[in-house]
Amino acid sequence: TFTITITGKGGHGSQPQFAVDPVLTASHVVVALQSIVSRNVASSEQAVVSVTMIHGGEVFNVIPDVVTLKGTIRDLNPTVCELVYERMKAIVAGVCATYGASGHVEFDSMYAEVDNHAEQAEVVRSLGVKLLGANNVTAGGLPIMGGEDFSYFLHKVPGAFYFFGGKEEGLVGWSRLGAAGSRSNCMCHNTAFDFNDNVSPIAATFFVRLVEGRLGVALYDEAELPMPLLAEDEDTAGATKRADEASGPGAGPISLQPPSKKARK
Protein backbone atom coordinates (compact mmCIF):
# COMPACT_ATOMS: atom_id res chain seq x y z
CA THR A 1 0.00 0.00 0.00
CA PHE A 2 1.04 3.62 -0.38
CA THR A 3 0.09 6.94 1.17
CA ILE A 4 0.91 10.22 -0.57
CA THR A 5 0.53 13.41 1.44
CA ILE A 6 0.46 16.60 -0.61
CA THR A 7 0.76 19.85 1.31
CA GLY A 8 -0.07 23.21 -0.20
CA LYS A 9 -1.43 26.46 1.19
CA GLY A 10 -5.10 26.81 1.90
CA GLY A 11 -7.22 29.70 0.76
CA HIS A 12 -10.65 30.80 -0.41
CA GLY A 13 -12.04 29.09 -3.47
CA SER A 14 -12.76 32.45 -5.05
CA GLN A 15 -9.11 33.57 -4.79
CA PRO A 16 -6.92 30.59 -5.81
CA GLN A 17 -4.08 32.96 -6.76
CA PHE A 18 -3.30 33.39 -3.07
CA ALA A 19 -3.24 29.65 -2.36
CA VAL A 20 -1.16 26.64 -3.36
CA ASP A 21 -3.86 24.19 -4.36
CA PRO A 22 -3.14 20.62 -3.18
CA VAL A 23 -6.32 19.39 -4.88
CA LEU A 24 -5.08 20.46 -8.30
CA THR A 25 -1.63 19.07 -7.52
CA ALA A 26 -3.06 15.75 -6.35
CA SER A 27 -5.15 15.47 -9.52
CA HIS A 28 -2.04 15.75 -11.68
CA VAL A 29 -0.19 13.27 -9.47
CA VAL A 30 -2.95 10.69 -9.99
CA VAL A 31 -2.75 11.10 -13.76
CA ALA A 32 1.07 11.00 -13.79
CA LEU A 33 1.19 7.81 -11.70
CA GLN A 34 -0.57 5.97 -14.53
CA SER A 35 2.53 6.39 -16.69
CA ILE A 36 4.64 4.12 -14.47
CA VAL A 37 3.27 0.79 -15.68
CA SER A 38 2.75 1.88 -19.28
CA ARG A 39 6.10 3.65 -19.71
CA ASN A 40 8.55 2.36 -17.10
CA VAL A 41 7.72 -1.29 -16.42
CA ALA A 42 8.93 -3.70 -19.10
CA SER A 43 6.17 -5.27 -21.19
CA SER A 44 7.44 -8.71 -20.14
CA GLU A 45 6.64 -7.89 -16.49
CA GLN A 46 3.38 -7.25 -14.66
CA ALA A 47 2.48 -4.44 -12.29
CA VAL A 48 -0.51 -2.42 -11.15
CA VAL A 49 -0.61 1.03 -9.53
CA SER A 50 -4.11 1.97 -8.37
CA VAL A 51 -5.07 5.13 -6.48
CA THR A 52 -8.18 4.09 -4.54
CA MET A 53 -8.66 6.89 -1.99
CA ILE A 54 -8.52 10.70 -2.21
CA HIS A 55 -9.17 12.78 0.91
CA GLY A 56 -9.01 16.56 1.12
CA GLY A 57 -11.07 19.55 2.06
CA GLU A 58 -14.08 20.03 4.33
CA VAL A 59 -16.29 22.65 2.70
CA PHE A 60 -17.13 23.62 -0.86
CA ASN A 61 -15.59 27.11 -0.88
CA VAL A 62 -12.22 26.60 0.83
CA ILE A 63 -9.03 25.28 -0.76
CA PRO A 64 -7.52 22.91 1.83
CA ASP A 65 -3.96 22.77 3.07
CA VAL A 66 -3.52 19.02 2.59
CA VAL A 67 -4.76 16.24 0.31
CA THR A 68 -4.01 12.57 0.96
CA LEU A 69 -3.91 9.86 -1.69
CA LYS A 70 -3.88 6.16 -0.87
CA GLY A 71 -3.80 3.04 -2.97
CA THR A 72 -2.15 -0.24 -3.81
CA ILE A 73 0.82 -1.52 -5.79
CA ARG A 74 0.85 -5.06 -7.18
CA ASP A 75 3.73 -6.83 -8.89
CA LEU A 76 5.37 -10.24 -9.23
CA ASN A 77 9.02 -9.23 -9.10
CA PRO A 78 10.94 -7.44 -6.30
CA THR A 79 12.95 -5.56 -8.92
CA VAL A 80 9.76 -4.22 -10.47
CA CYS A 81 8.54 -3.24 -7.01
CA GLU A 82 11.64 -1.15 -6.39
CA LEU A 83 11.27 0.47 -9.81
CA VAL A 84 7.68 1.45 -9.02
CA TYR A 85 8.74 2.87 -5.65
CA GLU A 86 11.43 5.06 -7.20
CA ARG A 87 9.21 6.30 -10.02
CA MET A 88 6.38 7.15 -7.62
CA LYS A 89 8.69 9.20 -5.40
CA ALA A 90 10.14 11.02 -8.41
CA ILE A 91 6.71 11.78 -9.88
CA VAL A 92 5.32 13.09 -6.60
CA ALA A 93 8.35 15.28 -6.03
CA GLY A 94 8.32 16.62 -9.59
CA VAL A 95 4.60 17.33 -9.86
CA CYS A 96 4.48 18.95 -6.44
CA ALA A 97 7.43 21.17 -7.32
CA THR A 98 5.67 22.23 -10.53
CA TYR A 99 2.66 23.54 -8.59
CA GLY A 100 4.56 24.89 -5.59
CA ALA A 101 3.41 22.18 -3.17
CA SER A 102 5.36 19.56 -1.27
CA GLY A 103 4.79 15.81 -1.27
CA HIS A 104 5.66 12.85 0.92
CA VAL A 105 5.30 9.16 -0.02
CA GLU A 106 5.09 6.23 2.40
CA PHE A 107 5.06 2.56 1.41
CA ASP A 108 3.92 -0.46 3.40
CA SER A 109 4.93 -3.82 1.91
CA MET A 110 2.23 -6.19 3.15
CA TYR A 111 2.38 -9.42 1.14
CA ALA A 112 4.94 -11.49 -0.70
CA GLU A 113 4.02 -13.16 -3.98
CA VAL A 114 1.89 -16.30 -3.82
CA ASP A 115 4.29 -18.83 -5.34
CA ASN A 116 2.76 -22.29 -5.66
CA HIS A 117 5.10 -25.26 -5.48
CA ALA A 118 4.96 -27.56 -8.50
CA GLU A 119 4.45 -30.87 -6.66
CA GLN A 120 1.65 -29.60 -4.44
CA ALA A 121 -0.05 -27.78 -7.31
CA GLU A 122 -0.02 -30.99 -9.34
CA VAL A 123 -1.71 -32.85 -6.46
CA VAL A 124 -4.55 -30.33 -6.52
CA ARG A 125 -4.79 -30.35 -10.31
CA SER A 126 -4.89 -34.15 -10.51
CA LEU A 127 -7.59 -34.41 -7.85
CA GLY A 128 -9.60 -31.72 -9.58
CA VAL A 129 -9.47 -33.61 -12.87
CA LYS A 130 -10.49 -36.82 -11.10
CA LEU A 131 -13.42 -35.35 -9.17
CA LEU A 132 -14.63 -32.56 -11.45
CA GLY A 133 -13.40 -33.48 -14.92
CA ALA A 134 -10.56 -32.07 -17.02
CA ASN A 135 -12.82 -29.39 -18.54
CA ASN A 136 -13.49 -27.97 -15.10
CA VAL A 137 -9.84 -27.49 -14.08
CA THR A 138 -7.85 -24.61 -15.51
CA ALA A 139 -4.93 -22.30 -14.93
CA GLY A 140 -6.49 -19.73 -17.23
CA GLY A 141 -6.25 -16.10 -16.15
CA LEU A 142 -3.22 -16.72 -13.94
CA PRO A 143 -1.23 -15.11 -12.50
CA ILE A 144 -3.51 -12.54 -10.91
CA MET A 145 -2.59 -9.61 -8.69
CA GLY A 146 -4.61 -10.40 -5.59
CA GLY A 147 -2.77 -10.08 -2.27
CA GLU A 148 -3.06 -13.14 -0.04
CA ASP A 149 -2.01 -14.04 3.53
CA PHE A 150 -1.32 -17.59 2.38
CA SER A 151 1.84 -16.31 0.69
CA TYR A 152 3.54 -16.31 4.10
CA PHE A 153 2.94 -20.05 4.45
CA LEU A 154 4.20 -20.77 0.93
CA HIS A 155 7.47 -18.95 1.61
CA LYS A 156 8.06 -21.23 4.60
CA VAL A 157 6.76 -24.65 3.49
CA PRO A 158 5.71 -26.20 0.16
CA GLY A 159 2.05 -25.81 -0.73
CA ALA A 160 -0.51 -24.62 -3.26
CA PHE A 161 -3.23 -21.99 -3.27
CA TYR A 162 -6.23 -22.56 -5.52
CA PHE A 163 -9.74 -21.30 -6.25
CA PHE A 164 -13.16 -22.88 -6.54
CA GLY A 165 -15.29 -21.26 -9.22
CA GLY A 166 -18.58 -19.70 -8.16
CA LYS A 167 -20.29 -19.41 -11.52
CA GLU A 168 -23.98 -19.96 -10.87
CA GLU A 169 -24.94 -21.87 -14.01
CA GLY A 170 -22.70 -24.81 -13.13
CA LEU A 171 -23.61 -25.00 -9.45
CA VAL A 172 -27.40 -24.73 -9.18
CA GLY A 173 -28.77 -27.78 -7.42
CA TRP A 174 -25.82 -28.53 -5.20
CA SER A 175 -27.14 -26.96 -2.03
CA ARG A 176 -30.54 -25.90 -3.33
CA LEU A 177 -29.91 -22.19 -2.84
CA GLY A 178 -30.91 -19.66 -5.45
CA ALA A 179 -31.94 -20.05 -9.04
CA ALA A 180 -29.95 -19.81 -12.24
CA GLY A 181 -28.99 -16.23 -12.95
CA SER A 182 -30.05 -14.98 -9.51
CA ARG A 183 -26.51 -14.12 -8.41
CA SER A 184 -23.87 -11.90 -9.91
CA ASN A 185 -20.64 -13.69 -10.83
CA CYS A 186 -18.48 -10.66 -10.12
CA MET A 187 -15.24 -10.56 -8.16
CA CYS A 188 -15.53 -10.48 -4.38
CA HIS A 189 -14.29 -6.86 -4.15
CA ASN A 190 -17.44 -5.53 -5.74
CA THR A 191 -20.55 -3.87 -4.33
CA ALA A 192 -22.74 -6.42 -6.14
CA PHE A 193 -20.94 -9.52 -4.80
CA ASP A 194 -23.13 -12.28 -3.38
CA PHE A 195 -21.31 -15.37 -2.10
CA ASN A 196 -22.55 -18.46 -3.92
CA ASP A 197 -23.42 -21.00 -1.23
CA ASN A 198 -23.74 -23.70 -3.86
CA VAL A 199 -19.97 -24.00 -4.08
CA SER A 200 -19.61 -24.95 -0.39
CA PRO A 201 -20.46 -28.68 -0.74
CA ILE A 202 -17.99 -28.97 -3.62
CA ALA A 203 -15.23 -27.34 -1.59
CA ALA A 204 -15.97 -29.41 1.52
CA THR A 205 -15.89 -32.67 -0.40
CA PHE A 206 -12.76 -31.68 -2.28
CA PHE A 207 -10.92 -30.86 0.96
CA VAL A 208 -11.87 -34.23 2.45
CA ARG A 209 -10.60 -36.10 -0.61
CA LEU A 210 -7.43 -34.01 -0.64
CA VAL A 211 -6.69 -34.90 2.99
CA GLU A 212 -7.43 -38.57 2.34
CA GLY A 213 -5.02 -38.64 -0.58
CA ARG A 214 -2.22 -36.84 1.22
CA LEU A 215 -2.49 -38.96 4.39
CA GLY A 216 -3.24 -42.25 2.64
CA VAL A 217 -6.52 -42.87 4.46
CA ALA A 218 -10.12 -43.55 3.43
CA LEU A 219 -12.68 -41.70 5.55
CA TYR A 220 -15.75 -41.84 3.30
CA ASP A 221 -16.67 -44.04 0.35
CA GLU A 222 -18.36 -42.72 -2.78
CA ALA A 223 -21.83 -43.54 -1.49
CA GLU A 224 -21.28 -41.55 1.69
CA LEU A 225 -19.65 -38.56 0.07
CA PRO A 226 -20.26 -38.41 -3.70
CA MET A 227 -18.99 -35.74 -6.04
CA PRO A 228 -21.43 -35.68 -8.98
CA LEU A 229 -21.58 -33.03 -11.65
CA LEU A 230 -24.64 -32.06 -13.63
CA ALA A 231 -24.23 -32.89 -17.30
CA GLU A 232 -23.54 -29.82 -19.40
CA ASP A 233 -26.47 -30.49 -21.71
CA GLU A 234 -28.84 -31.45 -18.91
CA ASP A 235 -31.59 -29.11 -17.80
CA THR A 236 -30.76 -27.87 -14.31
CA ALA A 237 -34.32 -27.80 -13.07
CA GLY A 238 -34.93 -31.29 -14.40
CA ALA A 239 -31.76 -32.61 -12.83
CA THR A 240 -32.71 -31.09 -9.49
CA LYS A 241 -36.17 -32.64 -9.64
CA ARG A 242 -34.76 -36.08 -10.48
CA ALA A 243 -32.23 -35.82 -7.67
CA ASP A 244 -35.02 -34.98 -5.23
CA GLU A 245 -37.07 -37.92 -6.41
CA ALA A 246 -34.11 -40.25 -6.03
CA SER A 247 -32.90 -39.01 -2.67
CA GLY A 248 -36.10 -37.91 -0.96
CA PRO A 249 -37.42 -34.48 0.06
CA GLY A 250 -34.75 -31.98 0.94
CA ALA A 251 -31.87 -34.29 0.07
CA GLY A 252 -29.06 -32.94 -2.09
CA PRO A 253 -26.48 -34.64 -4.27
CA ILE A 254 -23.89 -34.31 -1.50
CA SER A 255 -24.50 -35.42 2.06
CA LEU A 256 -22.17 -33.72 4.50
CA GLN A 257 -23.53 -35.84 7.35
CA PRO A 258 -23.63 -39.45 6.13
CA PRO A 259 -26.57 -41.46 7.46
CA SER A 260 -24.25 -44.17 8.70
CA LYS A 261 -20.59 -44.27 9.57
CA LYS A 262 -18.22 -47.15 9.21
CA ALA A 263 -15.78 -47.99 11.97
CA ARG A 264 -12.72 -45.81 11.57
CA LYS A 265 -9.25 -47.21 12.03
Side-chain angles (χ1 to χ4, degrees):
T1 63
F2 63 83
T3 299
I4 301 172
T5 304
I6 297 175
T7 303
K9 179 183 177 182
H12 199 279
S14 66
Q15 297 179 309
Q17 70 273 22
F18 297 120
V20 175
D21 191 347
V23 177
L24 174 66
T25 306
S27 301
H28 283 274
V29 167
V30 172
V31 173
L33 290 178
Q34 306 313 306
S35 70
I36 296 175
V37 174
S38 65
R39 288 297 176 267
N40 300 125
V41 176
S43 59
S44 58
E45 299 285 355
Q46 289 183 280
V48 174
V49 177
S50 292
V51 179
T52 57
M53 299 170 61
I54 302 178
H55 296 285
E58 298 179 7
V59 293
F60 71 92
N61 61 342
V62 176
I63 296 171
D65 289 312
V66 178
V67 170
T68 302
L69 309 175
K70 295 188 178 185
T72 184
I73 302 167
R74 307 296 173 99
D75 59 79
L76 302 174
N77 185 330
T79 302
V80 172
C81 183
E82 289 300 320
L83 170 64
V84 173
Y85 282 1
E86 293 305 314
R87 289 301 303 141
M88 286 187 69
K89 289 185 288 187
I91 286 173
V92 170
V95 173
C96 286
T98 299
Y99 293 96
S102 61
H104 177 69
V105 187
E106 295 181 0
F107 300 104
D108 184 6
S109 182
M110 300 177 66
Y111 303 101
E113 303 86 31
V114 177
D115 295 323
N116 279 351
H117 296 257
E119 179 182 347
Q120 284 69 28
E122 177 57 25
V123 169
V124 174
R125 189 201 67 81
S126 298
L127 182 63
V129 170
K130 177 182 177 181
L131 296 181
L132 303 172
N135 292 335
N136 293 301
V137 180
T138 179
L142 299 178
I144 60 175
M145 293 294 188
E148 175 53 51
D149 293 337
F150 197 69
S151 62
Y152 290 106
F153 290 96
L154 294 178
H155 283 256
K156 294 292 185 179
V157 296
F161 184 82
Y162 55 97
F163 294 95
F164 289 100
K167 190 174 182 181
E168 180 70 20
E169 289 82 350
L171 298 173
V172 169
W174 285 85
S175 60
R176 304 293 190 268
L177 296 176
S182 66
R183 304 173 196 270
S184 66
N185 291 318
C186 61
M187 289 288 288
C188 59
H189 294 292
N190 187 297
T191 56
F193 176 72
D194 180 11
F195 178 76
N196 194 337
D197 301 272
N198 290 319
V199 77
S200 296
I202 300 174
T205 301
F206 192 93
F207 279 130
V208 170
R209 298 307 185 197
L210 185 62
V211 170
E212 288 180 332
R214 297 297 281 168
L215 299 183
V217 298
L219 301 176
Y220 298 92
D221 60 29
E222 291 298 320
E224 291 177 309
L225 199 61
M227 178 69 93
L229 279 178
L230 301 177
E232 292 182 0
D233 59 349
E234 191 172 27
D235 176 71
T236 299
T240 300
K241 180 179 179 181
R242 287 190 292 278
D244 284 337
E245 293 172 348
S247 304
I254 290 181
S255 174
L256 298 181
Q257 295 181 337
S260 62
K261 291 184 178 291
K262 297 181 292 184
R264 311 297 183 202
K265 295 183 180 181

